[in-house]
Amino acid sequence: MTDQDRPAESDIPGKPTSVSRTTLSHIMSYGDTNLLGTVHGGVIMKLVDDAAGAVAGRHSGGPAVTASMDEMAFLEPVRVGDLVHVKAQVNWVGRTSMEVGVRVLAERWNESTPAQQVGSAYLVFAAVDADGKPRRVPPVIPETERDKRRYQEAQIRRTHRLARRRAILELRERRAAEGIED
């Protein structure tokens, strides 16, 4: 864990979860389809990244760049004509990084049925200054029990990301020490 990522007592005032929460909506067209005739996963991933980036920038008060995308899950196919809603919010904040949780919902544009969840993802963003260097971000203040649960789950995901990164680096160092080339 680096100092840049470690949560710390901050002299920057915190922001409630609701301040940066946003929804991006988009109607899917034929140009968004894959070879199976459903909406291409990459199109959904771009919408997810766009919504998460808006939330990260709003929360941090400036530019933020995508550092990683975790657990992108496609639960149901999205079809041409679906109205897709991408809902994003900051779940957790370190010193310079933020985890943004995203839910993807879809509904038929011409029906009055409720939107159905079709995907979800977690992204990590790093706040950067004009020179691209990491900058501090305000703490997030969870407001609801759901926000508190999401905050705790984000801490677990972060712990797993860091452990996985350490394990991979240790394996590579061990293989290099043994003279094994990849």
Side-chain angles (χ1 to χ4, degrees), residues 48-139:
V48 164
D49 191 43
D50 288 346
V55 166
R58 184 181 287 174
H59 181 83
S60 70
V65 295
T66 311
S68 70
M69 178 183 270
D70 289 350
E71 299 179 36
M72 181 71 214
F74 298 99
L75 306 173
E76 295 289 334
V78 177
R79 302 167 293 171
V80 169
D82 280 355
L83 181 56
V84 172
H85 307 285
V86 184
K87 298 176 175 280
Q89 77 171 48
V90 172
N91 289 336
W92 178 89
V93 170
R95 290 175 57 88
T96 63
S97 64
M98 300 157 275
E99 183 195 89
V100 178
V102 181
R103 288 180 57 220
V104 183
L105 305 153
E107 61 181 302
R108 295 304 296 165
W109 68 273
N110 59 349
E111 296 176 7
S112 59
T113 55
Q116 175 183 2
Q117 185 171 354
V118 295
S120 65
Y122 300 100
L123 297 89
V124 176
F125 279 79
V128 294
D129 63 18
D131 297 322
K133 303 286 186 228
R135 63 180 174 79
R136 300 268 313 269
V137 296

Side-chain angles (χ1 to χ4, degrees), residues 131-146:
D131 297 322
K133 303 286 186 228
R135 63 180 174 79
R136 300 268 313 269
V137 296
V140 66
I141 303 167
E143 298 173 279
T144 66
E145 286 305 314
R146 176 183 255 185

Side-chain angles (χ1 to χ4, degrees), residues 164-178:
R164 183 177 60 232
R165 184 182 311 152
R166 269 192 310 275
I168 289 170
L169 289 175
E170 289 170 5
L171 173 65
R172 289 178 181 174
E173 288 171 2
R174 197 168 48 250
R175 289 177 60 86
E178 294 170 1

